[in-house]
Amino acid sequence: MAHKVGIIGGDGIGPEVIAEGLKVIAAAGVALDTVDYDLGGARYLKDGVVLTDDILDEWRNLDALYLGAVGTPEVPPGVIERGLLLKMRFDLDLYINRRPFVFAGDEQRDAHEFIVIRENTEGTYAGEGGFLRKNTPAEVATQGSVNTRLGVERCIRYAFELAQSRPRKHLTMVHKTNVLTFSGDLWERTFNEVAADFSDVETAYNHVDAACIYFVQDPGRYDVIVTDNLFGDILTDLGGAVSGGIGFASSANLNPHGVSMFEPVHGSAPDIAGQNLANPTAAVLSGAMMLDHLGETDAGDRIRAACADTDSLVGSTTEVGDMLVERVANG
Ligand code: IPM
Ligand code: MN
């Protein structure tokens, strides 16, 4: 039976890269029963709709969601990000943001992959805070970080399970426990307690600033990383940049007990939209993660194999898509 997938092409380069992703999935022999959703900045400018509860209810009955990118410069910051993308993450409880980074081998280092598990529903993203005396000289703005034992533990537990399933069985927690002594303490205690259930997983801890250095200078030290929402946001752009470019960075927003959403790490890139210039590989690889989630791991593996030689994936959006279709079909 075809998998029922909601498609949100979104804004900017989003629809262009998703079209290539769908092409490659079809070439891998997986049938999707797709439903299109016109959402994002452009839709908001048309009729004010960002995301409705009816749409969310429809999504709960799908097998997966596949999203390109959302956001347009004409809409003030936050409207689409909070109203659509983060609302999806929160309301569908997509509490795991899983972002793999593949490093091609060269003379200096062996080929390597590490995976960042980013907590996806809490931290500074939860929206806690507000203004006092707005637009006066004495204005105050606060933006708190929400960390629940439940939210932190389920994320850390997922990361341990993932690390345990991999050959190296190594998990690094990244935080800033030396300064964020409340949230960091909760994360650290939870990490240490959960670690007791995974005695075969080797653990490490890095402060986030140090992790930035290691991402650039020694990424080979990492296998699985678990971190909070904002640190994970920043680190995964850096991960993309040091592992061949953000054009290859894929992600899964997972609710292990419900519908999950798959999207490239990159944004809508309005500056290059509509010009057939965006690299679709990140969207294609996000599609492969979606196939894994749908139980089509063989097709997912074939797509990842087709994307492995990143140096060869140059050309226009459709040219790279065609190249991948060809490799997947003949590979
Ligand atoms: C990401 C994006 C989002 C985030 C934005 C668009 C809200 O940067 O998925 O990494 O900050 O999570
Ligand atoms: Mn980001």
Side-chain angles (χ1 to χ4, degrees):
M1 234 176 50
H3 307 283
K4 240 180 128 67
V5 176
I7 308 291
I8 307 124
D11 298 309
I13 62 172
E16 298 172 57
V17 296
I18 287 296
E20 300 311 306
L22 290 172
K23 244 164 64 175
V24 178
I25 289 171
V30 177
L32 300 183
D33 177 5
T34 60
V35 192
D36 279 307
Y37 291 91
D38 172 20
L39 293 171
R43 168 73 191 268
Y44 173 72
L45 290 171
K46 224 182 308 173
D47 63 6
V49 170
V50 180
L51 175 59
T52 64
D53 288 337
D54 287 348
I55 296 175
L56 269 168
D57 284 341
E58 277 178 44
W59 286 351
R60 287 181 228 277
N61 297 315
L62 297 174
D63 297 319
L65 290 154
Y66 191 29
L67 183 145
V70 292
T72 46
E74 298 81 33
V75 180
V79 175
I80 302 303
E81 292 84 348
R82 281 218 161 268
L84 176 55
L85 196 58
L86 299 187
K87 192 173 167 59
M88 269 173 102
R89 290 178 184 171
F90 296 159
D91 287 21
L92 300 175
D93 206 17
L94 309 175
Y95 61 87
I96 299 296
N97 197 323
R98 176 171 169 154
R99 298 183 161 179
F101 298 95
V102 179
F103 294 77
D106 59 24
E107 297 80 39
Q108 270 96 53
R109 55 192 183 196
D110 292 336
H112 171 63
E113 181 205 53
F114 68 72
I115 302 178
V116 176
I117 300 302
R118 163 185 176 189
E119 199 292 319
N120 213 29
T121 54
E122 301 194 340
T124 43
Y125 280 68
E128 196 259 326
F131 296 107
L132 277 175
R133 306 190 288 261
K134 195 171 180 187
N135 292 319
T136 73
E139 173 163 352
V140 178
T142 63
Q143 191 100 45
S145 172
V146 174
N147 298 262
T148 69
R149 170 71 198 216
L150 183 146
V152 172
E153 180 168 343
R154 66 185 179 175
C155 175
I156 286 176
R157 209 166 266 288
Y158 178 93
F160 267 104
E161 281 165 9
L162 175 63
Q164 193 174 48
S165 74
R166 291 165 60 84
R168 236 181 100 193
K169 301 191 196 314
H170 188 280
L171 177 63
T172 307
M173 181 175 111
V174 172
H175 209 280
K176 186 76 185 176
T177 55
N178 53 345
V179 173
L180 305 184
T181 51
F182 308 126
S183 59
D185 189 73
L186 174 60
W187 272 79
E188 189 174 38
R189 270 182 291 122
T190 307
F191 187 80
N192 292 336
E193 281 170 37
V194 175
D197 295 340
F198 296 87
S199 53
D200 54 339
V201 175
E202 197 189 332
T203 60
Y205 170 78
N206 294 157
H207 292 316
V208 64
D209 46 353
C212 290
I213 298 177
Y214 298 140
F215 264 49
V216 176
Q217 296 188 343
D218 184 23
R221 68 169 54 216
Y222 294 121
D223 180 22
V224 180
I225 293 171
V226 65
T227 191
D228 103 321
N229 207 339
L230 182 59
F231 295 146
D233 175 46
I234 298 165
L235 271 180
T236 53
D237 268 24
L238 182 57
V242 296
S243 64
I246 198 78
F248 300 103
S250 57
S251 83
N253 295 258
L254 302 170
N255 175 339
H257 317 286
V259 65
S260 294
M261 186 270 265
F262 301 82
E263 56 165 347
V265 173
H266 64 66
S268 58
D271 51 329
I272 58 163
Q275 299 170 54
N276 200 21
L277 282 176
N279 188 333
T281 311
V284 171
L285 286 168
S286 304
M289 292 180 90
M290 177 168 76
L291 295 186
D292 291 346
H293 188 75
L294 295 172
E296 306 277 2
T297 47
D298 175 62
D301 286 343
R302 282 186 288 122
I303 293 175
R304 274 182 292 273
C307 296
D309 179 15
T310 48
D311 285 349
S312 68
L313 296 174
V314 286
S316 69
T317 310
T318 47
E319 276 165 6
V320 172
D322 290 343
M323 213 183 303
L324 291 172
V325 162
E326 162 114 9
R327 286 184 199 170
V328 166
N330 303 324

